[in-house]
Amino acid sequence: MSVHNPDPSPPAVPAAPVLDIEAGVERLMGERGIYLRALARFRSSYRDSAGAIRRALDADDSGLAHRLAHTLKGAAGMIEAPRLHVAALVLESTLRDGSGDTGLALARLDSALAEVLCELDGMNLLVDAPPRRAPVAPVQNGIIASLRAMLDIGDGAAVELVAAARSELSEHLGQRGYEELSAAMEQFDYELALAVLERAD
């Protein structure tokens, strides 16, 4: 007589990846070159984010710490780093609401950021200049559509998209238009950024 032994536990749910490259490329309309530029920019610009937030907190500047966490959250979303995105979201919420353990949230963000940087440091992020394609309008239109959608909902990842897609946006807006757009994004002025895009249509 056989004894039925039920499975004592359900199958484990796979952990979120440190970096979801396929989703990141898809987010940018399949433009791998733009995505790689976003990764390179993230690696150079956000390496000390946890340290910057910690210094802001040490100086009792919770407003700056909150802004830095918010910006990092958007950047992590842009490159599809899900664990870092969640860690930044938790820290941002903790700082905004004044509840929860800020030290623990910051430690988790520091760990998640280190994981992402370790992965990026092991990647070749040099982007070869792509051959000129004709026409380029479909690529531009796709990036513009993605950017509009992000700006409409106030997605902080729009900041990273504007930086990563500099060449494509400059071609569409002109150099002066791109500089206006970039300046608006630095101030998180999404309404002005949308107005710059409208003028180019």
Side-chain angles (χ1 to χ4, degrees), residues 111-137:
S111 176
L113 177 60
E115 284 183 329
V116 172
L117 291 172
C118 181
E119 189 144 327
L120 293 180
D121 286 343
M123 294 174 65
N124 176 14
L125 298 179
L126 294 177
V127 183
D128 295 329
R132 297 295 298 166
R133 292 173 297 178
V136 295

Side-chain angles (χ1 to χ4, degrees), residues 27 78 145-155 157-158 161 190:
R27 182 184 182 93
M78 175 71 186
S146 294
L147 181 56
R148 281 185 196 278
M150 291 178 183
L151 293 172
D152 280 339
I153 63 173
D155 187 342
L161 178 55
Y190 295 167

Side-chain angles (χ1 to χ4, degrees), residues 1 28 30-31 45 51 56 59 91 117 119 137 149 151 157 167 179 186 201:
M1 179 178 176
L28 292 174
E31 286 296 303
S45 299
L91 178 59
L117 291 172
E119 189 144 327
L151 293 172
S167 61
E179 289 171 1
E186 286 177 8
D201 288 344

